Amino acid sequence: KNYYTNGDLERNFRTLDNFRSILETYYRNEVLKSKILYKEGYPIKWEDYYPTGKLEYMEEFHKSFDYYIVRKSFYANGQLETILELTNSKKKIYDYKEYSESSVLIKEGKMVFNEAIFDYQKFGKWYVYDITGKMVKEEFYDDGKLSSSKSY
């Protein structure tokens, strides 16, 4: 354990078993700042928190440590901002959704993890919505690049 000069807990590192450990860091008021689960020395699950204590970001990796199982980000008010979620582990295909701060879906589509470039790429048809949730555009992606779009 490490402490700030005022005596508040700054970080806490614990070994859970022979393979896993956890690191928690805190803001000066001892509100959780981040929590990282390690497996065999690699971060496998990571959570970051706003100073208010609300979740800001989380990611969880596959046991190979190469790609996400899920990644989420949140607005300061606690509402979901984005989610990237593995739906086909064999082909490494993901559903992606993005929301407004008032929880209205504003964008959705598919992504694929490209092992050659070690990154996630948009593919296929994507939908874009206005702030009321009405679809305003369709976008079509090939190899992560916008190939065409259609507005409504």
Side-chain angles (χ1 to χ4, degrees), residues 24-129:
E24 296 168 329
T25 61
Y26 297 87
Y27 291 100
R28 285 197 172 267
N29 59 358
E30 293 194 1
V31 170
L32 187 62
K33 185 176 187 178
S34 68
K35 185 176 184 179
I36 307 163
L37 176 65
Y38 293 91
K39 185 176 180 186
E40 298 177 354
Y42 294 96
I44 196 156
K45 187 173 183 182
W46 190 303
E47 297 173 348
D48 284 334
Y49 295 84
Y50 287 103
T52 60
K54 290 188 178 184
L55 188 60
E56 179 179 6
Y57 179 83
M58 72 82 59
E59 61 186 26
E60 186 173 348
F61 285 92
H62 181 265
K63 62 184 177 183
S64 68
F65 310 111
D66 290 336
Y67 57 91
Y68 293 121
I69 293 173
V70 63
R71 182 185 72 196
K72 297 178 184 179
S73 61
F74 298 85
Y75 290 104
N77 67 7
Q79 297 296 328
L80 183 63
E81 181 179 8
T82 64
I83 181 169
L84 179 70
E85 190 166 27
L86 184 64
T87 56
N88 183 326
S89 58
K90 196 169 200 161
K91 295 183 179 181
K92 297 184 182 70
I93 295 174
Y94 295 79
D95 282 344
Y96 175 88
K97 292 183 180 181
E98 186 175 331
Y99 297 89
S100 70
E101 205 163 346
S102 58
S103 299
V104 176
L105 181 64
I106 55 176
K107 190 180 284 187
E108 66 179 327
K110 299 276 186 194
M111 296 186 88
V112 64
F113 178 69
N114 183 329
E115 293 181 25
I117 62 171
F118 208 70
D119 203 0
Y120 302 82
Q121 294 181 308
K122 293 179 179 180
F123 77 92
K125 190 186 296 187
W126 279 62
Y127 301 95
V128 179
Y129 305 93

